[in-house]
Amino acid sequence: MTRRFSIKEIAFHAGLSPATVDRALHGRDHVRRLTRDRVAAALEELEQQHATSLVQGRRFTIDILIQSPDRFSSAVRAAFEAELPLARPVAFRARFHLAEVMEEREIIARLTAIARRGSHGIVLKVPATPAIEACLASLSSRGIPVVTYVTDIAQPLRLAYVGMENRRAGATAAYLMQRMQRQPGSRILITLSSQMFRGEDERRLGFLEQLARGDAPVPTLTVSEGLGVDRTTRRLVLDALQGHPDIGSVYSIGGGNRAILEAFAEAGRRMDVFIAHDLDRTNRQLLAEGRLTLVLHHDFRQDARRVSLHFLRFHRLVPPDVTVNPSDILIACPTDL
């Protein structure tokens, strides 16, 4: 038994007399098993409270490195800035590294700089290229935990993944698409920002697998490498529309949805169903205008809480058996706004 606490403290916490606690602590006779258990439970609670008091006021600095259009990264930043101050028992401070487009060498340079400066954890949304994963292996050897966000990397290189189960999200989109299409046999255009984002490709695979379960084959066409940027996405979609007159619906995984609509308008084409991802400021507006059929999304603030729990568990500041579930797949329709 620990003597960190006085008998009087333990007795007060257990709701017992000091004499009874003294007999229980020293293994004397005439102490019931239930009483000994109450003393042991009181000691355990006091130890937990003491451990928490030691870390109160500690500061954790984490780095959030995201390659994505500003409409997404700014929404994520706002969610983390709102949620991290509420995390306990430590105080989190975030350093943001956000860019719409980053070359592979720039991502590696930023990761290397973060490792050199030191960090309590990295939140990462970048392409899963071999060179980037090699850089992350070096970070792992330095003991810096990495939590991937929305898109994943090789599992041994990261502590955890936070976000929707992407294959399930793609299958959900296909299920809804199959029941909403009014033009049987029309081709579905699938747009990715880049094939190097594993999360996007998982959504595409889940979408195709669900379509294949239908009674009749559904033609699709995938375009990628627009990086979610309006100018490049618009050009890719225009090329696809010119080459495939049967395109009637869109599953937008990689964003650039305003550009997709502009491409359809320029080509003089109608869209049957338009399913997109993430309730960023652009998609909220398009959804309110009725130009998107529905949006699959997840709560960014809940994701920020999940990230903080993973880092706290890594640093042994919460119990190791704390469960962190995948993000819920939410569906927003025009009537929800």
Side-chain angles (χ1 to χ4, degrees):
M1 292 285 189
T2 180
R3 296 309 300 269
R4 188 192 308 278
F5 311 102
S6 69
I7 289 177
K8 186 176 180 180
E9 286 178 289
I10 300 168
F12 180 79
H13 200 79
L16 299 168
S17 70
T20 300
V21 170
D22 183 68
R23 290 198 303 273
L25 289 175
H26 292 91
R28 297 194 180 103
D29 295 335
H30 309 298
V31 180
R32 293 183 300 168
R33 175 68 185 207
L34 180 62
T35 301
R36 295 184 191 276
D37 289 344
R38 283 178 63 181
V39 172
L43 268 172
E44 184 177 355
E45 289 174 1
L46 286 169
E47 289 287 358
Q48 289 177 350
Q49 292 170 12
H50 177 72
T52 299
S53 69
L54 291 178
V55 299
Q56 290 287 359
R58 283 186 62 184
R59 295 182 181 275
F60 273 13
T61 298
I62 62 173
D63 290 88
I64 301 175
L65 176 55
I66 294 178
Q67 178 187 330
S68 76
D70 176 70
R71 58 182 172 266
F72 177 84
S73 60
S74 61
V76 172
R77 178 171 188 157
F80 273 79
E81 288 179 336
E83 198 62 37
L84 288 181
L86 306 179
R88 292 291 182 271
V90 303
F92 278 94
R93 183 169 70 92
R95 297 185 294 222
F96 292 92
H97 315 266
L98 312 174
E100 290 203 333
V101 179
M102 280 189 278
E103 297 290 337
E104 180 182 74
R105 63 178 179 273
E106 183 182 354
I107 294 171
I108 293 171
R110 292 195 185 205
L111 288 170
T112 302
I114 290 169
R116 188 185 309 117
R117 183 166 37 177
S119 179
H120 290 101
I122 299 174
V123 183
L124 200 61
K125 180 189 178 298
V126 296
T129 69
I132 290 172
E133 292 195 338
C135 177
L136 290 170
S138 173
L139 261 67
S140 178
S141 68
R142 296 179 184 225
I144 299 176
V146 172
V147 173
T148 52
Y149 188 46
V150 179
T151 186
D152 211 355
I153 58 174
Q155 289 193 19
L157 301 177
R158 48 79 163 165
L159 172 67
Y161 164 79
V162 169
M164 292 188 293
E165 292 180 297
N166 285 307
R167 199 171 287 237
R168 279 188 58 212
T172 301
Y175 176 86
L176 295 168
M177 182 79 76
Q178 287 170 311
R179 280 148 184 78
M180 300 178 78
Q181 274 190 305
R182 296 183 295 272
Q183 303 175 36
S186 66
R187 188 179 300 272
I188 300 172
L189 179 65
I190 304 171
T191 63
L192 308 177
S193 68
S194 174
Q195 291 180 327
M196 297 308 298
F197 286 107
R198 288 191 179 183
E200 291 191 13
D201 202 48
E202 285 290 311
R203 291 177 185 179
R204 181 186 67 87
L205 291 173
F207 187 83
L208 295 176
E209 288 166 358
Q210 176 62 34
L211 288 183
R213 297 189 182 101
D215 296 332
V218 179
T220 64
L221 174 69
T222 299
V223 298
S224 68
E225 308 316 310
L227 299 178
V229 177
D230 285 349
R231 177 176 53 82
T232 49
T233 301
R234 178 176 165 276
R235 187 181 67 249
L236 287 168
V237 174
L238 270 174
D239 291 344
L241 292 173
Q242 290 170 4
H244 297 82
D246 58 343
I247 291 175
S249 295
V250 176
Y251 175 37
S252 172
I253 298 173
N257 299 321
R258 193 177 296 280
I260 293 172
L261 288 163
E262 289 172 356
F264 268 77
E266 184 174 337
R269 301 276 288 276
R270 293 180 63 255
M271 194 186 303
D272 191 10
V273 181
F274 192 180
I275 296 178
H277 277 273
D278 301 321
L279 271 182
D280 55 42
R281 60 177 181 267
T282 300
N283 285 346
R284 283 182 180 276
Q285 184 176 355
L286 294 176
L287 199 62
E289 295 170 358
R291 303 178 73 189
L292 287 175
T293 309
L294 58 89
V295 173
L296 302 179
H297 67 105
H298 46 111
D299 189 318
F300 292 163
R301 288 191 60 165
Q302 287 185 7
D303 291 343
R305 289 197 288 274
R306 292 180 175 98
V307 166
S308 65
L309 276 174
H310 280 301
F311 288 141
L312 290 172
R313 189 166 62 180
F314 175 84
H315 291 286
R316 300 180 181 179
L317 296 176
V318 296
D321 57 350
V322 168
T323 301
V324 186
N325 295 317
S327 304
D328 295 327
I329 300 173
L330 308 174
I331 300 171
C333 300
T335 55
D336 294 328
L337 301 179

PDB file of all heavy atoms in Angstrom, residues 101-118:
ATOM      1  N   VAL A 101      -1.551  22.974 -52.939  1.00  0.00           N
ATOM      2  CA  VAL A 101      -0.697  22.086 -53.730  1.00  0.00           C
ATOM      3  C   VAL A 101       0.694  22.099 -53.116  1.00  0.00           C
ATOM      4  O   VAL A 101       1.241  23.168 -52.832  1.00  0.00           O
ATOM      5  CB  VAL A 101      -0.625  22.537 -55.210  1.00  0.00           C
ATOM      6  CG1 VAL A 101       0.278  21.604 -56.000  1.00  0.00           C
ATOM      7  CG2 VAL A 101      -2.025  22.574 -55.824  1.00  0.00           C
ATOM      8  N   MET A 102       1.255  20.916 -52.882  1.00  0.00           N
ATOM      9  CA  MET A 102       2.620  20.794 -52.390  1.00  0.00           C
ATOM     10  C   MET A 102       3.349  19.721 -53.190  1.00  0.00           C
ATOM     11  O   MET A 102       2.820  18.619 -53.378  1.00  0.00           O
ATOM     12  CB  MET A 102       2.648  20.416 -50.905  1.00  0.00           C
ATOM     13  CG  MET A 102       2.411  21.559 -49.950  1.00  0.00           C
ATOM     14  SD  MET A 102       2.702  21.097 -48.208  1.00  0.00           S
ATOM     15  CE  MET A 102       1.138  20.297 -47.825  1.00  0.00           C
ATOM     16  N   GLU A 103       4.530  20.048 -53.644  1.00  0.00           N
ATOM     17  CA  GLU A 103       5.371  19.045 -54.276  1.00  0.00           C
ATOM     18  C   GLU A 103       5.837  18.041 -53.220  1.00  0.00           C
ATOM     19  O   GLU A 103       5.921  18.363 -52.032  1.00  0.00           O
ATOM     20  CB  GLU A 103       6.581  19.701 -54.937  1.00  0.00           C
ATOM     21  CG  GLU A 103       6.239  20.654 -56.067  1.00  0.00           C
ATOM     22  CD  GLU A 103       5.701  19.933 -57.291  1.00  0.00           C
ATOM     23  OE1 GLU A 103       6.002  18.720 -57.440  1.00  0.00           O
ATOM     24  OE2 GLU A 103       4.988  20.563 -58.087  1.00  0.00           O
ATOM     25  N   GLU A 104       6.141  16.845 -53.678  1.00  0.00           N
ATOM     26  CA  GLU A 104       6.592  15.801 -52.765  1.00  0.00           C
ATOM     27  C   GLU A 104       7.787  16.262 -51.933  1.00  0.00           C
ATOM     28  O   GLU A 104       7.835  16.054 -50.714  1.00  0.00           O
ATOM     29  CB  GLU A 104       6.961  14.555 -53.567  1.00  0.00           C
ATOM     30  CG  GLU A 104       7.454  13.386 -52.724  1.00  0.00           C
ATOM     31  CD  GLU A 104       7.847  12.221 -53.598  1.00  0.00           C
ATOM     32  OE1 GLU A 104       8.916  12.307 -54.248  1.00  0.00           O
ATOM     33  OE2 GLU A 104       7.108  11.229 -53.648  1.00  0.00           O
ATOM     34  N   ARG A 105       8.751  16.923 -52.572  1.00  0.00           N
ATOM     35  CA  ARG A 105       9.946  17.365 -51.850  1.00  0.00           C
ATOM     36  C   ARG A 105       9.610  18.415 -50.792  1.00  0.00           C
ATOM     37  O   ARG A 105      10.263  18.479 -49.742  1.00  0.00           O
ATOM     38  CB  ARG A 105      10.982  17.909 -52.830  1.00  0.00           C
ATOM     39  CG  ARG A 105      10.563  19.146 -53.603  1.00  0.00           C
ATOM     40  CD  ARG A 105      11.698  19.634 -54.513  1.00  0.00           C
ATOM     41  NE  ARG A 105      11.303  20.809 -55.288  1.00  0.00           N
ATOM     42  CZ  ARG A 105      10.683  20.770 -56.450  1.00  0.00           C
ATOM     43  NH1 ARG A 105      10.388  19.576 -56.997  1.00  0.00           N
ATOM     44  NH2 ARG A 105      10.373  21.882 -57.094  1.00  0.00           N
ATOM     45  N   GLU A 106       8.569  19.234 -51.034  1.00  0.00           N
ATOM     46  CA  GLU A 106       8.178  20.231 -50.051  1.00  0.00           C
ATOM     47  C   GLU A 106       7.551  19.572 -48.826  1.00  0.00           C
ATOM     48  O   GLU A 106       7.799  19.983 -47.685  1.00  0.00           O
ATOM     49  CB  GLU A 106       7.197  21.228 -50.669  1.00  0.00           C
ATOM     50  CG  GLU A 106       6.792  22.342 -49.719  1.00  0.00           C
ATOM     51  CD  GLU A 106       5.787  23.307 -50.322  1.00  0.00           C
ATOM     52  OE1 GLU A 106       5.472  23.187 -51.522  1.00  0.00           O
ATOM     53  OE2 GLU A 106       5.311  24.188 -49.572  1.00  0.00           O
ATOM     54  N   ILE A 107       6.730  18.549 -49.062  1.00  0.00           N
ATOM     55  CA  ILE A 107       6.129  17.816 -47.936  1.00  0.00           C
ATOM     56  C   ILE A 107       7.221  17.179 -47.088  1.00  0.00           C
ATOM     57  O   ILE A 107       7.202  17.256 -45.856  1.00  0.00           O
ATOM     58  CB  ILE A 107       5.153  16.747 -48.465  1.00  0.00           C
ATOM     59  CG1 ILE A 107       3.958  17.417 -49.155  1.00  0.00           C
ATOM     60  CG2 ILE A 107       4.676  15.844 -47.331  1.00  0.00           C
ATOM     61  CD1 ILE A 107       3.050  16.457 -49.881  1.00  0.00           C
ATOM     62  N   ILE A 108       8.199  16.555 -47.745  1.00  0.00           N
ATOM     63  CA  ILE A 108       9.301  15.918 -47.021  1.00  0.00           C
ATOM     64  C   ILE A 108      10.102  16.953 -46.247  1.00  0.00           C
ATOM     65  O   ILE A 108      10.497  16.728 -45.093  1.00  0.00           O
ATOM     66  CB  ILE A 108      10.194  15.131 -48.003  1.00  0.00           C
ATOM     67  CG1 ILE A 108       9.408  13.934 -48.566  1.00  0.00           C
ATOM     68  CG2 ILE A 108      11.478  14.663 -47.325  1.00  0.00           C
ATOM     69  CD1 ILE A 108      10.103  13.209 -49.696  1.00  0.00           C
ATOM     70  N   ALA A 109      10.343  18.122 -46.863  1.00  0.00           N
ATOM     71  CA  ALA A 109      11.086  19.182 -46.175  1.00  0.00           C
ATOM     72  C   ALA A 109      10.337  19.665 -44.941  1.00  0.00           C
ATOM     73  O   ALA A 109      10.945  19.916 -43.881  1.00  0.00           O
ATOM     74  CB  ALA A 109      11.335  20.342 -47.138  1.00  0.00           C
ATOM     75  N   ARG A 110       9.017  19.789 -45.041  1.00  0.00           N
ATOM     76  CA  ARG A 110       8.225  20.249 -43.890  1.00  0.00           C
ATOM     77  C   ARG A 110       8.240  19.207 -42.778  1.00  0.00           C
ATOM     78  O   ARG A 110       8.362  19.544 -41.599  1.00  0.00           O
ATOM     79  CB  ARG A 110       6.797  20.551 -44.319  1.00  0.00           C
ATOM     80  CG  ARG A 110       6.685  21.767 -45.234  1.00  0.00           C
ATOM     81  CD  ARG A 110       5.251  22.244 -45.332  1.00  0.00           C
ATOM     82  NE  ARG A 110       5.100  23.336 -46.280  1.00  0.00           N
ATOM     83  CZ  ARG A 110       4.133  24.229 -46.240  1.00  0.00           C
ATOM     84  NH1 ARG A 110       3.231  24.165 -45.272  1.00  0.00           N
ATOM     85  NH2 ARG A 110       4.024  25.176 -47.146  1.00  0.00           N
ATOM     86  N   LEU A 111       8.094  17.937 -43.146  1.00  0.00           N
ATOM     87  CA  LEU A 111       8.139  16.874 -42.139  1.00  0.00           C
ATOM     88  C   LEU A 111       9.502  16.821 -41.453  1.00  0.00           C
ATOM     89  O   LEU A 111       9.589  16.640 -40.231  1.00  0.00           O
ATOM     90  CB  LEU A 111       7.819  15.524 -42.792  1.00  0.00           C
ATOM     91  CG  LEU A 111       6.363  15.303 -43.199  1.00  0.00           C
ATOM     92  CD1 LEU A 111       6.233  14.036 -44.051  1.00  0.00           C
ATOM     93  CD2 LEU A 111       5.457  15.201 -41.975  1.00  0.00           C
ATOM     94  N   THR A 112      10.538  16.993 -42.231  1.00  0.00           N
ATOM     95  CA  THR A 112      11.890  16.979 -41.667  1.00  0.00           C
ATOM     96  C   THR A 112      12.080  18.140 -40.708  1.00  0.00           C
ATOM     97  O   THR A 112      12.675  17.989 -39.629  1.00  0.00           O
ATOM     98  CB  THR A 112      12.930  17.038 -42.796  1.00  0.00           C
ATOM     99  OG1 THR A 112      12.725  15.926 -43.686  1.00  0.00           O
ATOM    100  CG2 THR A 112      14.342  16.976 -42.246  1.00  0.00           C
ATOM    101  N   ALA A 113      11.571  19.319 -41.072  1.00  0.00           N
ATOM    102  CA  ALA A 113      11.684  20.490 -40.201  1.00  0.00           C
ATOM    103  C   ALA A 113      10.901  20.290 -38.902  1.00  0.00           C
ATOM    104  O   ALA A 113      11.358  20.674 -37.824  1.00  0.00           O
ATOM    105  CB  ALA A 113      11.191  21.729 -40.933  1.00  0.00           C
ATOM    106  N   ILE A 114       9.725  19.689 -39.008  1.00  0.00           N
ATOM    107  CA  ILE A 114       8.924  19.417 -37.804  1.00  0.00           C
ATOM    108  C   ILE A 114       9.677  18.476 -36.872  1.00  0.00           C
ATOM    109  O   ILE A 114       9.740  18.682 -35.656  1.00  0.00           O
ATOM    110  CB  ILE A 114       7.557  18.818 -38.202  1.00  0.00           C
ATOM    111  CG1 ILE A 114       6.681  19.874 -38.875  1.00  0.00           C
ATOM    112  CG2 ILE A 114       6.841  18.244 -36.970  1.00  0.00           C
ATOM    113  CD1 ILE A 114       5.437  19.304 -39.533  1.00  0.00           C
ATOM    114  N   ALA A 115      10.282  17.426 -37.455  1.00  0.00           N
ATOM    115  CA  ALA A 115      11.014  16.456 -36.646  1.00  0.00           C
ATOM    116  C   ALA A 115      12.224  17.111 -35.972  1.00  0.00           C
ATOM    117  O   ALA A 115      12.538  16.832 -34.807  1.00  0.00           O
ATOM    118  CB  ALA A 115      11.462  15.292 -37.517  1.00  0.00           C
ATOM    119  N   ARG A 116      12.894  18.008 -36.702  1.00  0.00           N
ATOM    120  CA  ARG A 116      14.070  18.679 -36.151  1.00  0.00           C
ATOM    121  C   ARG A 116      13.675  19.589 -34.988  1.00  0.00           C
ATOM    122  O   ARG A 116      14.383  19.674 -33.979  1.00  0.00           O
ATOM    123  CB  ARG A 116      14.755  19.488 -37.248  1.00  0.00           C
ATOM    124  CG  ARG A 116      16.106  20.076 -36.834  1.00  0.00           C
ATOM    125  CD  ARG A 116      16.690  20.965 -37.924  1.00  0.00           C
ATOM    126  NE  ARG A 116      16.697  20.299 -39.211  1.00  0.00           N
ATOM    127  CZ  ARG A 116      16.012  20.705 -40.275  1.00  0.00           C
ATOM    128  NH1 ARG A 116      15.247  21.787 -40.185  1.00  0.00           N
ATOM    129  NH2 ARG A 116      16.083  20.058 -41.419  1.00  0.00           N
ATOM    130  N   ARG A 117      12.554  20.273 -35.126  1.00  0.00           N
ATOM    131  CA  ARG A 117      12.092  21.207 -34.099  1.00  0.00           C
ATOM    132  C   ARG A 117      11.483  20.469 -32.918  1.00  0.00           C
ATOM    133  O   ARG A 117      11.517  20.945 -31.789  1.00  0.00           O
ATOM    134  CB  ARG A 117      11.079  22.170 -34.716  1.00  0.00           C
ATOM    135  CG  ARG A 117      10.581  23.233 -33.763  1.00  0.00           C
ATOM    136  CD  ARG A 117       9.850  24.360 -34.459  1.00  0.00           C
ATOM    137  NE  ARG A 117       9.031  23.925 -35.577  1.00  0.00           N
ATOM    138  CZ  ARG A 117       8.267  24.737 -36.291  1.00  0.00           C
ATOM    139  NH1 ARG A 117       8.218  26.017 -35.992  1.00  0.00           N
ATOM    140  NH2 ARG A 117       7.557  24.283 -37.292  1.00  0.00           N
ATOM    141  N   GLY A 118      10.899  19.292 -33.181  1.00  0.00           N
ATOM    142  CA  GLY A 118      10.251  18.517 -32.137  1.00  0.00           C
ATOM    143  C   GLY A 118       8.753  18.726 -32.136  1.00  0.00           C
ATOM    144  O   GLY A 118       8.270  19.827 -32.435  1.00  0.00           O
TER     145      GLY A 118
END
